[in-house]
Amino acid sequence: TDVIKMREMGFRADYLQTGYDHAHYYETNTHRLNKIVFIANNYHHHTFAQSKLREDMVKYMYKRFPEYFEVWGQNWQNVHSDFRPTRSKDEERQIYNRSLIAINIPHINCSRYYSDRQLRAMACGCLVMSQEYPENEYEFKKGIHFDTWNNFEELGDKCWEHILNRDETMKIGKQAAEYVRNNCLWDHRMQEFITLINKYK
């Protein structure tokens, strides 16, 4: 979205997507529990455009899935008492590898944007349930690499469906892990960066 705006103002602009660290995030083929996780830090609900939405999602998911949902990260005490901080990248990898579903909500919702949280979860073989964002089909295919939702009720309904269809859910997670490993490493982004530099020489 920012690139489009800058181009409209006459600037030369392109978008370089984020990547992830494959040395820490990968699938370990451990047993997956029927867990739905959200790993993210919480900030004051006015800090970012979607901070309050993230808080409301956590409240909704704890209410609907008290036995399945877990939130990991910092500063959730004012939203829910049952949260755990993550202490390392390796611990985050372990959480994703023993979970079936990972929820993704970025701080902002604009065209093609997602945080590396989405890639880290996909790399670990989790089915990512991402908030719908514009042009997500540019890089990923729904039902093959991930799934999306537009509101909390749809998120909850789809999570139930994915839990009830574990085999298909795990298949999507494996496909996602292979896809990001082959397309979304920082090595790939650096090659794209070189292409952008050469484009504007």
Side-chain angles (χ1 to χ4, degrees):
T1 300
D2 290 341
V3 169
I4 294 171
K5 292 178 180 178
M6 285 187 284
R7 284 178 174 175
E8 289 174 350
M9 297 171 65
F11 293 102
R12 295 183 301 176
D14 275 285
Y15 186 56
L16 183 64
Q17 188 60 273
T18 190
Y20 78 96
D21 184 353
H22 65 288
H24 289 279
Y25 299 101
Y26 50 86
E27 188 178 12
T28 58
N29 294 313
T30 55
H31 176 69
R32 293 189 183 276
L33 303 174
N34 288 333
K35 289 291 184 183
I36 307 165
V37 297
F38 182 52
I39 303 180
N41 293 326
N42 186 39
Y43 303 93
H44 189 276
H45 64 260
H46 295 303
T47 305
F48 298 102
Q50 300 209 124
S51 294
K52 186 177 186 303
L53 182 73
R54 285 154 61 118
E55 291 184 358
D56 291 343
M57 182 277 293
V58 168
K59 292 175 184 176
Y60 174 87
M61 292 298 288
Y62 266 125
K63 184 176 181 180
R64 183 160 180 182
F65 297 94
E67 297 181 2
Y68 296 105
F69 181 69
E70 294 178 351
V71 62
W72 294 78
Q74 304 286 347
N75 304 321
W76 291 102
Q77 59 269 21
N78 293 329
V79 179
H80 200 280
S81 60
D82 185 14
F83 76 98
R84 306 168 183 87
T86 49
R87 292 164 292 191
S88 67
K89 295 177 181 178
D90 293 330
E91 182 181 37
E92 184 178 2
R93 179 187 68 245
Q94 293 168 8
I95 296 165
Y96 280 139
N97 269 281
R98 65 172 179 259
S99 302
L100 188 67
I101 299 168
I103 297 173
N104 179 57
I105 305 180
H107 287 298
I108 56 175
N109 189 324
C110 62
S111 178
R112 291 188 59 195
Y113 172 76
Y114 54 82
S115 73
D116 58 342
R117 175 190 309 104
Q118 178 172 324
L119 295 179
R120 298 197 304 263
M122 294 171 94
C124 294
C126 255
L127 168 75
V128 168
M129 286 294 305
S130 178
Q131 178 192 24
E132 185 76 29
Y133 59 91
E135 294 191 291
N136 58 68
E137 70 279 0
Y138 188 91
E139 291 165 295
F140 307 110
K141 295 180 180 179
K142 295 178 190 177
I144 296 177
H145 304 129
F146 75 149
D147 202 353
T148 63
W149 52 273
N150 289 285
N151 55 63
F152 297 157
E153 184 175 359
E154 183 180 17
L155 169 62
D157 290 346
K158 285 190 171 184
C159 283
W160 272 126
E161 291 175 9
H162 286 302
I163 288 173
L164 293 174
N165 296 281
R166 274 181 57 92
D167 290 346
E168 181 63 23
T169 301
M170 293 176 66
K171 178 183 176 182
I172 295 172
K174 285 185 176 294
Q175 290 170 169
E178 181 179 3
Y179 179 82
V180 298
R181 186 171 61 250
N182 292 332
N183 295 278
C184 303
L185 304 183
W186 283 118
D187 291 349
H188 299 118
R189 300 306 183 223
M190 291 304 99
Q191 289 300 316
E192 294 168 9
F193 187 43
I194 292 171
T195 299
L196 290 178
I197 292 172
N198 291 330
K199 176 180 176 179
Y200 289 113
K201 277 185 176 180

